[in-house]
Amino acid sequence: ERCAPGARREEAAAGPGSPPAPAGSPGAPEDIVGEEEEQDRVPPHKLQLLGESAELRDLLRNPHLRQLLLALEQARDKSSLLRRLMQEPLFLEFADCCLGIVEPPEEKENVLPV
């Protein structure tokens, strides 16, 4: 179970002291992610970079951004709210910052040479 892809991500997301989800249970990695979707996953070492970013930390000090993220976390229809949030300049700045950390421009596959 602990060697399954994504097992550490789920443990980290669950928080310290939380038992890992047993294999085959709802929420187990094999139930959530198909092979096509795996390419859109962020590797754990890149997620670690988010926690180390001073720029991201500064953005997260903004109470308005924190309220937006909390609303997104608690929303029943996350995709609809996310579409609306993508119109908010502050949320776009947050998203761009996150993307810039986990997928720096020099690593993007579909960037045309200048």
Side-chain angles (χ1 to χ4, degrees), residues 18-53:
S18 300
S25 69
E30 58 270 14
D31 292 339
I32 297 173
V33 180
E35 287 182 31
E36 307 84 38
E37 295 171 344
E38 186 63 32
Q39 66 185 0
D40 292 333
R41 290 235 176 229
V42 177
H45 69 278
K46 296 234 178 175
L47 290 176
Q48 181 75 30
L49 295 175
L50 292 172
E52 297 168 0
S53 169

Side-chain angles (χ1 to χ4, degrees), residues 72 76-84:
L72 181 59
R76 287 183 182 222
D77 186 3
K78 292 181 186 333
S79 62
S80 174
L81 179 56
L82 188 56
R83 279 191 294 277
R84 287 197 319 259

